[in-house]
mmCIF file of all heavy atoms in Angstrom:
data_model
loop_
_atom_site.group_PDB
_atom_site.id
_atom_site.type_symbol
_atom_site.label_atom_id
_atom_site.label_comp_id
_atom_site.label_asym_id
_atom_site.label_seq_id
_atom_site.Cartn_x
_atom_site.Cartn_y
_atom_site.Cartn_z
ATOM 1 N N GLY A 16 -3.704 17.008 -18.579
ATOM 2 C CA GLY A 16 -5.138 16.887 -18.295
ATOM 3 C C GLY A 16 -5.473 16.600 -16.888
ATOM 4 O O GLY A 16 -4.577 16.439 -16.013
ATOM 5 N N LEU A 18 -8.141 14.229 -14.115
ATOM 6 C CA LEU A 18 -9.027 13.004 -13.952
ATOM 7 C C LEU A 18 -9.372 12.960 -12.485
ATOM 8 O O LEU A 18 -8.611 13.345 -11.570
ATOM 9 C CB LEU A 18 -8.254 11.795 -14.354
ATOM 10 C CG LEU A 18 -8.967 10.558 -14.892
ATOM 11 C CD1 LEU A 18 -9.789 10.944 -16.107
ATOM 12 C CD2 LEU A 18 -7.970 9.477 -15.250
ATOM 13 N N CYS A 22 -13.542 6.027 -5.053
ATOM 14 C CA CYS A 22 -13.426 4.739 -4.338
ATOM 15 C C CYS A 22 -14.711 4.641 -3.415
ATOM 16 O O CYS A 22 -14.733 5.388 -2.437
ATOM 17 C CB CYS A 22 -12.146 4.673 -3.556
ATOM 18 S SG CYS A 22 -12.017 3.274 -2.396
ATOM 19 N N SER A 30 -16.249 6.673 8.100
ATOM 20 C CA SER A 30 -15.582 7.832 8.793
ATOM 21 C C SER A 30 -14.640 7.386 9.920
ATOM 22 O O SER A 30 -13.864 8.247 10.408
ATOM 23 C CB SER A 30 -16.704 8.752 9.358
ATOM 24 O OG SER A 30 -17.480 8.019 10.362
ATOM 25 N N TRP A 33 -8.804 6.029 8.240
ATOM 26 C CA TRP A 33 -8.007 6.744 7.253
ATOM 27 C C TRP A 33 -8.175 5.979 5.946
ATOM 28 O O TRP A 33 -8.375 4.758 5.927
ATOM 29 C CB TRP A 33 -6.548 6.696 7.680
ATOM 30 C CG TRP A 33 -6.169 7.591 8.853
ATOM 31 C CD1 TRP A 33 -6.411 7.395 10.120
ATOM 32 C CD2 TRP A 33 -5.477 8.832 8.736
ATOM 33 N NE1 TRP A 33 -5.925 8.373 10.902
ATOM 34 C CE2 TRP A 33 -5.312 9.306 10.069
ATOM 35 C CE3 TRP A 33 -4.885 9.564 7.717
ATOM 36 C CZ2 TRP A 33 -4.618 10.481 10.364
ATOM 37 C CZ3 TRP A 33 -4.226 10.769 7.945
ATOM 38 C CH2 TRP A 33 -4.139 11.156 9.293
ATOM 39 N N MET A 34 -7.899 6.667 4.878
ATOM 40 C CA MET A 34 -7.907 6.064 3.503
ATOM 41 C C MET A 34 -6.716 6.531 2.792
ATOM 42 O O MET A 34 -6.201 7.607 2.863
ATOM 43 C CB MET A 34 -9.125 6.469 2.690
ATOM 44 C CG MET A 34 -10.483 6.030 3.351
ATOM 45 S SD MET A 34 -10.728 4.181 3.398
ATOM 46 C CE MET A 34 -10.823 3.855 1.661
ATOM 47 N N HIS A 35 -6.091 5.510 2.020
ATOM 48 C CA HIS A 35 -4.898 5.774 1.262
ATOM 49 C C HIS A 35 -5.162 5.590 -0.237
ATOM 50 O O HIS A 35 -6.051 4.861 -0.619
ATOM 51 C CB HIS A 35 -3.796 4.780 1.589
ATOM 52 C CG HIS A 35 -3.282 4.855 3.014
ATOM 53 N ND1 HIS A 35 -2.273 5.687 3.447
ATOM 54 C CD2 HIS A 35 -3.690 4.188 4.079
ATOM 55 C CE1 HIS A 35 -2.004 5.476 4.690
ATOM 56 N NE2 HIS A 35 -2.851 4.568 5.172
ATOM 57 N N GLY A 44 6.718 -1.748 -8.765
ATOM 58 C CA GLY A 44 6.374 -1.788 -7.369
ATOM 59 C C GLY A 44 5.261 -0.862 -6.911
ATOM 60 O O GLY A 44 4.850 0.033 -7.692
ATOM 61 N N GLY A 55 -11.690 13.889 6.997
ATOM 62 C CA GLY A 55 -11.164 14.634 5.850
ATOM 63 C C GLY A 55 -10.396 15.870 6.176
ATOM 64 O O GLY A 55 -10.081 16.686 5.321
ATOM 65 N N ALA A 61 2.596 12.266 -1.296
ATOM 66 C CA ALA A 61 3.971 12.038 -1.741
ATOM 67 C C ALA A 61 4.454 13.272 -2.486
ATOM 68 O O ALA A 61 3.687 14.051 -3.081
ATOM 69 C CB ALA A 61 3.987 10.852 -2.698
ATOM 70 N N SER A 70 -6.718 14.714 -2.405
ATOM 71 C CA SER A 70 -7.569 13.606 -1.854
ATOM 72 C C SER A 70 -8.701 14.235 -1.032
ATOM 73 O O SER A 70 -8.502 15.225 -0.237
ATOM 74 C CB SER A 70 -6.778 12.666 -1.022
ATOM 75 O OG SER A 70 -7.600 11.597 -0.513
ATOM 76 N N TYR A 80 -12.155 10.277 -2.912
ATOM 77 C CA TYR A 80 -11.812 10.860 -4.254
ATOM 78 C C TYR A 80 -10.354 11.116 -4.315
ATOM 79 O O TYR A 80 -9.657 11.412 -3.348
ATOM 80 C CB TYR A 80 -12.632 12.177 -4.534
ATOM 81 C CG TYR A 80 -14.112 11.965 -4.431
ATOM 82 C CD1 TYR A 80 -14.768 12.369 -3.333
ATOM 83 C CD2 TYR A 80 -14.801 11.415 -5.507
ATOM 84 C CE1 TYR A 80 -16.186 12.248 -3.293
ATOM 85 C CE2 TYR A 80 -16.174 11.280 -5.466
ATOM 86 C CZ TYR A 80 -16.887 11.684 -4.372
ATOM 87 O OH TYR A 80 -18.236 11.553 -4.343
ATOM 88 N N MET A 83 -6.824 14.515 -9.767
ATOM 89 C CA MET A 83 -5.526 14.507 -10.340
ATOM 90 C C MET A 83 -5.439 15.531 -11.478
ATOM 91 O O MET A 83 -6.155 15.437 -12.494
ATOM 92 C CB MET A 83 -5.172 13.178 -10.869
ATOM 93 C CG MET A 83 -5.271 11.993 -9.822
ATOM 94 S SD MET A 83 -4.756 10.431 -10.454
ATOM 95 C CE MET A 83 -5.916 10.103 -11.676
ATOM 96 N N ASP A 107 -5.599 -2.832 5.574
ATOM 97 C CA ASP A 107 -6.144 -4.227 5.657
ATOM 98 C C ASP A 107 -7.119 -4.607 4.511
ATOM 99 O O ASP A 107 -7.477 -5.763 4.382
ATOM 100 C CB ASP A 107 -6.706 -4.456 7.035
ATOM 101 C CG ASP A 107 -7.908 -3.582 7.422
ATOM 102 O OD1 ASP A 107 -8.154 -2.578 6.667
ATOM 103 O OD2 ASP A 107 -8.569 -3.823 8.450
ATOM 104 N N THR A 116 -4.002 6.023 -17.628
ATOM 105 C CA THR A 116 -3.056 6.127 -18.688
ATOM 106 C C THR A 116 -2.913 7.559 -19.153
ATOM 107 O O THR A 116 -3.923 8.123 -19.633
ATOM 108 C CB THR A 116 -3.389 5.212 -19.884
ATOM 109 O OG1 THR A 116 -3.515 3.797 -19.412
ATOM 110 C CG2 THR A 116 -2.225 5.206 -20.896
#
Side-chain angles (χ1 to χ4, degrees):
Chain A
L18 209 57
C22 169
S30 60
W33 288 76
M34 297 295 293
H35 296 272
S70 182
Y80 300 103
M83 304 185 295
D107 60 350
T116 303

